[in-house]
Amino acid sequence: MNPEYPYTLSHFSYQRIPSRVVHIGDVPMGGNHPIRIQSMTTTDTMDTMATVEQVIRMVDAGCEYARITAPSRKDANNLQAIRDELRRRGVKIPIVADIHFTPNAAEIAARIVEKVRVNPGNYADKKRFKEIEYTDESYQDEIERIHKRFSPLVQICKEEGTVMRIGTNHGSLSDRILSRYGDTALGMVESAMEFIRICEEYHYHNLVISMKASNPQVMVQAYRLLMKSMLEAGNVYPLHLGVTEAGEGEDGRIKSALGISTLLLDGIGDTVRVSLTEEPEYEMPVAQFLVDYHVKQANKLREAAKETPQQEQIKLPFSPFGFSRRPSQTRVNIGSEHVPRVISDLSGKQLDPPDLSPVGYTYVESLDKYNFSDLATDYVYLGDQVPVFELPGGLKKIYDANIWRLLSDNSQHFPLFDSPEDFLKAPEKSASLNFIRLTPETLPQAQAITSADMVVWVLRSEEGLPVYSFRKMIYKLETWERKDPIIIQIVHTKDTSYYEDDHLAEHLRLGQDARTQLSLSSQLSTLLVDGLVDGVWLEKADEVRLRTAFGALQMSRLRITKTEYISCPSCGRTLFDLQETTAKIRERTEHLKGVKIGIMGCIVNGPGEMADADYGYVGVGPGKIALYRGKTVVEKAVQTVEAVDKLIDLIRADGKWIEPESVELV
């Protein structure tokens, strides 16, 4: 373990951190048990049969724990009927009761189900968005008040053998925590630790912990801080991983992969839930993909290499508990303060007729011009192929170095050298920007190149989990104090696309596009979340990979190119059709570049969970919506039928509305 940053066993290979084992019904979690897959129902808990049928569909999709909301004593009591009916049908999946504001509902549920989930931010604490001045004495008084409200549940769980998840959410931190720690990952960890300490006072250890946020950066930082705290205390509880309110479709998959994959690569995590604004049975394939892609692939590679895991002593080139991009020098428009760039490989494509749709450009024949979207690539790599038609003026071009030298005006194009050695031997180099491919094998050659050589490193690895190789190369460059920009080349080999094309993916019930999105996002995950790179090179360029690259950059908060939707996955508390409403809002607003809109089914997942959204659309009652600007409610009881129009009026009043326009021509 790294003594400076003790939150992982290895940065360069998969080594899962051992945790305590908790027995949730007949499905144990933690230790050496498999990483478990779970989800949550979206039905009304009082509709016993609808909930049972949905749980069965979840089980058929691979769910190992089923969470059901219990917002009231009545709902909590009905968990018995749901559980009995499932058992009558031969379904033995452990049931988890989801509790927020109602301690007495939790105490009822703890005697019925195998596990209860409580949220420290609102279970026995207050959330009114007020800043409160606390003395040490008054703060301790609040801790004692929480102890009094929470300890009865602890005693019941201990008596009944019920497991508890202490589930901290970034958006629902209490006013007390926010007043002392701010809206931070540290505040999230301390919120959970307060409850853990109470449990430990009663010698109750059947705990699972989560640190969820809709921002993958915050989520990763909080889990790492929590793991550091638990390792230092010598008591590691199993961790439930998830990016909360991830959204729908492709954006939800990409955002989930960024956060969950980063932590899995760190060896963190014992169970996974992917929160999509879709039917719950569609969440399991995504969660299973992420676990398989990292854990099964890592084990497969380790067995093939007969690898013995080694612990490394390293100095990290970044802070794992806060975000800042790796400092780098500027090369043309790459590095330093520039947004990460996207480079697409067109070297193997037929470029006549002029079809550049895979890189975000569409040729308009009647105007003899190209139009381009916000998701258009910045550079294209053409290899040894010189196009017979003129490419768009703003699209920068990269050629193999031996071809680049022959071009009549090579100052407008840039060379790619296959290795540092090739670069050093080359008779001619660019005065402004030279791309040099770097692999684990050629890495030592990089020491001979100086910063004056105007280099951008293109890191390439064909290993099954290339992130570990990328980390090794980046960390080594940092030890040499190299500040050249770094581009990650995403290759497409049998190993790196193991679950992207393999027939084994069939059981995951994921389409080809979804597998591509998850595979690519997983390869980028920690490199973007930790701010280590200055761009992405897509070796196999197509529209799906291009959208995924830009989506991953946006969800990592590194490059904003489109509207972002923070939408909850729905549950029995939801007061409107989330999927339909999200689709309507997306249809009207998806052209608003850089605007973040939170769409929440109820007040529990309301202003707090969409903490960093610009606008919020929150269910507050049947047929009623509250509209928010940031964390401030603007209208409290808007009729659903007019709520989307009112949301657009709010955006317009703030000067952020633009009418959908025709795309720009180049």
Side-chain angles (χ1 to χ4, degrees):
M1 185 188 307
N2 187 312
E4 186 177 359
Y5 299 112
Y7 67 93
T8 181
L9 299 181
S10 175
H11 285 262
F12 306 138
S13 66
Y14 177 74
Q15 296 184 44
R16 184 175 166 193
I17 299 172
S19 60
R20 298 179 71 107
V21 175
V22 296
H23 293 273
I24 308 170
D26 296 329
V27 186
M29 178 197 300
N32 293 320
H33 293 287
I35 295 176
R36 304 298 187 181
I37 305 301
Q38 61 176 285
S39 185
M40 184 174 182
T41 60
T42 61
T43 52
D44 182 347
T45 304
M46 294 306 298
D47 190 336
T48 301
M49 290 306 166
T51 303
V52 166
E53 295 294 342
Q54 189 171 69
V55 169
I56 291 172
R57 292 195 297 274
M58 290 159 56
V59 171
D60 289 343
C63 186
E64 295 175 278
Y65 306 122
R67 183 154 49 113
I68 302 172
T69 187
S72 70
R73 296 177 63 184
K74 182 174 65 172
D75 294 287
N77 277 308
N78 199 54
L79 293 172
Q80 184 69 62
I82 294 168
R83 190 177 186 278
D84 289 346
E85 179 63 19
L86 286 167
R87 300 302 181 259
R88 189 185 71 78
R89 298 194 192 190
V91 179
K92 296 183 178 181
I93 186 172
I95 302 298
V96 183
D98 191 64
I99 308 293
H100 280 269
F101 299 104
T102 318
N104 54 13
E107 292 164 19
I108 292 169
R111 298 188 187 277
I112 297 171
V113 300
E114 289 82 3
K115 181 181 172 187
V116 293
R117 179 272 176 129
V118 297
N119 183 340
N122 52 35
Y123 180 84
D125 222 329
K126 299 171 185 175
K127 178 68 174 179
R128 295 180 183 142
F129 296 101
K130 292 182 179 179
E131 187 169 337
I132 305 168
E133 290 288 337
Y134 285 100
T135 64
D136 289 344
E137 183 179 0
S138 63
Y139 195 89
Q140 187 58 38
D141 288 343
E142 285 294 293
I143 297 292
E144 290 175 6
R145 182 184 64 80
I146 291 168
H147 185 288
K148 186 175 180 179
R149 294 197 72 190
F150 179 55
S151 58
L153 176 63
V154 176
Q155 292 171 310
I156 292 171
C157 287
K158 184 177 180 181
E159 176 186 328
E160 298 288 335
T162 305
V163 176
M164 184 192 303
R165 170 157 73 99
I166 297 174
T168 299
N169 276 22
H170 178 227
S172 57
L173 294 176
S174 68
D175 292 339
R176 181 178 55 82
I177 289 290
L178 287 171
S179 297
R180 175 154 289 199
Y181 295 96
D183 191 10
T184 63
L186 178 60
M188 294 175 66
V189 173
E190 183 57 29
S191 180
M193 292 303 297
E194 290 177 351
F195 276 56
I196 291 171
R197 292 182 196 114
I198 295 171
C199 292
E200 291 177 339
E201 281 185 39
Y202 291 89
H203 304 287
Y204 172 71
H205 302 285
N206 277 350
L207 299 177
V208 178
I209 317 297
S210 64
M211 296 274 117
K212 292 192 175 184
S214 64
N215 181 332
Q217 285 181 3
V218 174
M219 172 256 199
V220 166
Q221 292 159 16
Y223 275 102
R224 285 172 170 171
L225 269 173
L226 176 65
M227 181 56 76
K228 176 179 181 290
S229 297
M230 293 194 299
L231 286 167
E232 288 173 348
N235 195 5
V236 177
Y237 293 104
L239 294 185
H240 167 125
L241 302 187
V243 177
T244 194
E245 329 301 352
E248 61 174 347
E250 131 180 337
D251 286 351
R253 291 189 289 269
I254 292 169
K255 184 184 283 190
S256 296
L258 288 171
I260 293 169
S261 294
T262 297
L263 293 167
L264 289 174
L265 288 161
D266 287 339
I268 294 172
D270 300 280
T271 182
V272 170
R273 191 265 171 117
V274 173
S275 300
L276 301 178
T277 309
E278 301 177 15
E279 293 301 312
E281 54 264 37
Y282 297 135
E283 295 180 347
M284 265 64 70
V286 178
Q288 191 65 60
F289 180 99
L290 296 175
V291 172
D292 286 357
Y293 186 84
H294 297 89
V295 180
K296 290 188 177 180
Q297 179 77 328
N299 291 337
K300 174 189 171 195
L301 294 169
R302 183 176 294 142
E303 289 171 8
K306 296 183 172 52
E307 173 188 349
T308 301
Q310 299 292 322
Q311 295 186 8
E312 306 88 5
Q313 299 293 324
I314 58 171
K315 182 175 177 60
L316 298 186
F318 68 97
S319 170
F321 309 130
F323 179 80
S324 62
R325 276 184 66 184
R326 168 186 170 270
S328 61
Q329 298 168 327
T330 296
R331 305 285 186 256
V332 183
N333 65 347
I334 301 175
S336 187
E337 76 280 2
H338 296 286
V339 296
R341 299 301 175 185
V342 176
I343 302 172
S344 295
D345 185 343
L346 294 181
S347 60
K349 293 186 178 292
Q350 175 58 254
L351 296 182
D352 187 17
D355 178 17
L356 297 178
S357 57
V359 296
Y361 289 79
T362 306
Y363 185 63
V364 182
E365 189 171 359
S366 60
L367 298 175
D368 193 27
K369 295 281 188 181
Y370 285 92
N371 64 33
F372 66 96
S373 71
D374 287 327
L375 307 187
T377 195
D378 301 294
Y379 289 73
V380 289
Y381 168 60
L382 299 167
D384 60 2
Q385 181 180 197
V386 180
V388 297
F389 60 93
E390 186 174 352
L391 293 175
L395 186 58
K396 293 179 169 52
K397 296 164 277 293
I398 304 168
Y399 292 93
D400 288 339
N402 59 334
I403 299 298
W404 169 81
R405 288 196 299 271
L406 303 177
L407 299 176
S408 57
D409 184 8
N410 60 22
S411 65
Q412 301 302 308
H413 318 297
F414 307 103
L416 170 67
F417 297 89
D418 201 45
S419 69
E421 185 178 11
D422 286 351
F423 175 80
L424 292 168
K425 293 178 178 178
E428 188 176 353
K429 299 155 189 172
S430 170
S432 55
L433 172 57
N434 297 280
F435 294 93
I436 303 179
R437 185 174 287 130
L438 203 59
T439 67
E441 294 74 27
T442 62
L443 177 63
Q445 301 172 11
Q447 285 184 280
I449 296 174
T450 70
S451 295
D453 288 321
M454 307 307 287
V455 163
V456 170
W457 302 114
V458 180
L459 307 191
R460 190 178 194 279
S461 172
E462 295 189 10
E463 293 184 3
L465 285 173
V467 170
Y468 293 124
S469 287
F470 292 148
R471 277 180 169 173
K472 285 181 183 179
M473 289 190 278
I474 293 169
Y475 294 3
K476 183 57 71 174
L477 288 170
E478 285 297 302
T479 64
W480 296 335
E481 299 185 355
R482 298 304 304 263
K483 299 302 179 185
D484 314 294
I486 293 173
I487 303 289
I488 296 300
Q489 186 169 5
I490 301 298
V491 304
H492 188 81
T493 67
K494 180 174 175 52
D495 283 335
T496 56
S497 62
Y498 183 69
Y499 286 101
E500 194 172 326
D501 294 327
D502 196 279
H503 69 279
L504 294 176
E506 185 177 331
H507 83 280
L508 296 173
R509 304 181 188 181
L510 288 171
Q512 175 65 55
D513 287 358
R515 299 198 300 274
T516 297
Q517 291 155 7
L518 291 169
S519 174
L520 178 53
S521 301
S522 294
Q523 291 181 60
L524 291 172
S525 58
T526 186
L527 305 170
L528 299 185
V529 170
D530 290 330
L532 293 174
V533 299
D534 300 287
V536 180
W537 182 305
L538 300 172
E539 185 171 279
K540 187 176 181 181
D542 59 26
E543 294 175 61
V544 174
R545 287 174 175 78
L546 190 68
R547 286 202 319 271
T548 303
F550 277 102
L553 289 169
Q554 169 128 353
M555 303 308 168
S556 305
R557 305 297 195 266
L558 294 173
R559 182 172 181 173
I560 306 303
T561 51
K562 59 183 179 180
T563 315
E564 184 174 339
Y565 301 92
I566 303 168
S567 59
C568 71
S570 185
C571 71
R573 299 183 301 267
T574 300
L575 297 168
F576 56 87
D577 188 323
L578 261 168
Q579 295 179 46
E580 179 183 343
T581 302
T582 301
K584 285 180 180 178
I585 293 174
R586 181 184 288 275
E587 182 182 4
R588 300 281 299 277
T589 62
E590 64 181 350
H591 64 289
L592 300 175
K593 177 179 176 180
V595 174
K596 288 183 287 205
I597 300 174
I599 308 165
M600 302 294 157
C602 72
I603 199 65
V604 168
N605 289 324
E609 302 300 349
M610 56 185 195
D612 63 349
D614 301 304
Y615 301 97
Y617 181 108
V618 181
V620 292
K624 300 285 186 180
I625 300 298
L627 295 178
Y628 285 75
R629 179 188 288 114
K631 296 178 182 178
T632 303
V633 64
V634 177
E635 295 197 49
K636 294 183 178 179
V638 181
Q639 294 290 332
T640 305
V641 293
E642 59 180 357
V644 176
D645 287 334
K646 291 273 192 179
L647 172 64
I648 291 171
D649 289 343
L650 179 59
I651 298 171
R652 184 178 281 113
D654 290 346
K656 294 183 179 180
W657 178 262
I658 58 172
E659 297 298 333
E661 299 175 355
S662 58
V663 288
E664 188 172 352
L665 299 178
V666 292

